[in-house]
Amino acid sequence: MSNQPRHIAIIMDGNGRWAEAQGKNRSAGHEKGSETVRTITTYCAAHPEITHLTLYAFSTENWKRPKLEVEFLMKLLEKYLKKELPTYLDNNIRFHPIGDLSVFSPSLHQTIESVREETEGCTGLVQNLALNYGGRDEILRAVHTLQTSNESITIESLTAHLDCEIDVDLLIRTGGDHRISNFLLWQSAYAELFFTDTLWPEFTSDELGQIISQFKKIERRFGGVN
Ligand code: FPP
């Protein structure tokens, strides 16, 4: 029986390089990258065996970028969520933000919350959008919650307090680098890792389909033997 990737996670890298290669500024790459977010999300929603798609949109380290780029990304995110609400609803996609959202502006925070609430009843794909997200930060916050509630610390209790409780089956990074960059550290313990040189704005459903076909051929042993 072939593996089905139920949870796919993607590190969307290469927006800046795509824009520079086109003689445009980095913002144009992020704008184009947001179109790829829509394409890939609707592709996954059309494949019911995929239950969760987690996208790394803004890391706890991305605040180190130039102020103007950070401001642009925040505006783009707000614009995207407002514009794409019908896409979420029409495709039965539940929007679930992960990360520490407390730092965002009241307006962005409100938009995030409203899309989350409006799509709460959707029963198809769950799109986890990682916003001000870091794997270490997520684990630390879960440990603090466990300490405060005096719960015993086990793999199950810690997992239950993470932003995302579901293990990753398939982790993809676009843009040519081979690193995890603090993404879903706990959940990727047994993920299959795929790296592609394709820059995120040029990543297509076809390429995702090819990666999924390769994934299906892998023998996954989870530390055991077959
Ligand atoms: C990495 O490319 C990308 C990001 C840090 C942000 C990801 C953002 C998007 C895909 C678009 C906005 C998302 C939504 C949901 C509206 P990079 O800038 O590091 O590229 P580079 O490595 O070529 O410089």
Side-chain angles (χ1 to χ4, degrees):
M1 201 180 71
S2 69
N3 302 311
Q4 296 293 341
R6 293 177 64 248
H7 183 184
I8 298 178
I10 309 183
I11 301 173
M12 310 182 285
D13 198 12
N15 292 346
R17 277 165 288 159
W18 178 86
E20 279 153 24
Q22 310 275 318
K24 298 178 177 166
N25 64 25
R26 295 176 55 80
S27 306
H30 295 313
E31 187 105 43
K32 183 81 177 152
S34 71
E35 291 171 23
T36 311
V37 169
R38 185 184 56 240
T39 306
I40 295 301
T41 302
T42 49
Y43 173 88
C44 290
H47 291 76
E49 67 276 13
I50 304 167
T51 59
H52 291 75
L53 171 69
T54 305
L55 299 172
Y56 209 3
F58 196 86
S59 78
T60 44
E61 287 73 37
N62 284 153
W63 299 103
K64 294 179 203 155
R65 293 186 174 220
K67 192 166 169 271
L68 279 179
E69 182 171 344
V70 170
E71 280 172 6
F72 181 85
L73 278 167
M74 295 300 133
K75 283 200 194 111
L76 179 63
L77 184 61
E78 191 160 355
K79 189 174 90 174
Y80 178 89
L81 289 174
K82 285 181 175 159
K83 182 165 153 262
E84 298 299 334
L85 179 60
T87 308
Y88 284 99
L89 296 172
D90 293 348
N91 293 280
N92 199 19
I93 299 164
R94 183 152 67 88
F95 167 70
H96 179 241
I98 63 168
D100 177 2
L101 307 179
S102 63
V103 294
F104 292 122
S105 69
S107 157
L108 178 54
H109 205 273
Q110 202 186 345
T111 303
I112 292 170
E113 275 309 303
S114 113
V115 177
R116 195 183 61 73
E117 280 167 24
E118 297 234 33
T119 63
E120 222 161 32
C122 293
T123 54
L125 179 77
V126 176
Q127 184 210 51
N128 293 318
L129 200 59
L131 301 169
N132 189 33
Y133 174 88
R136 289 176 171 176
D137 179 66
E138 179 191 33
I139 294 167
L140 267 188
R141 284 187 284 108
V143 170
H144 283 148
T145 311
L146 283 175
Q147 276 178 335
T148 317
S149 62
N150 242 337
E151 275 176 76
S152 59
I153 299 183
T154 63
I155 289 182
E156 291 74 23
S157 67
L158 199 144
T159 303
H161 289 292
L162 294 173
D163 301 340
C164 169
E165 294 177 42
I166 315 288
D167 274 354
V168 174
D169 296 306
L170 169 58
L171 176 65
I172 300 167
R173 181 178 187 132
T174 64
D177 286 326
H178 294 195
R179 53 176 174 263
I180 300 297
S181 300
N182 201 13
F183 190 41
L184 298 172
L185 298 178
W186 181 275
Q187 300 87 339
S188 297
Y190 280 99
E192 303 297 334
L193 310 182
F194 280 74
F195 301 95
T196 169
D197 289 339
T198 305
L199 304 173
W200 176 250
E202 289 178 336
F203 190 67
T204 60
S205 302
D206 271 0
E207 186 168 359
L208 177 56
Q210 284 163 23
I211 292 173
I212 292 172
S213 298
Q214 289 179 51
F215 170 91
K216 286 181 176 174
K217 293 183 198 147
I218 296 170
E219 183 189 29
R220 300 184 79 198
R221 292 190 297 278
F222 300 95
V225 285
N226 277 5

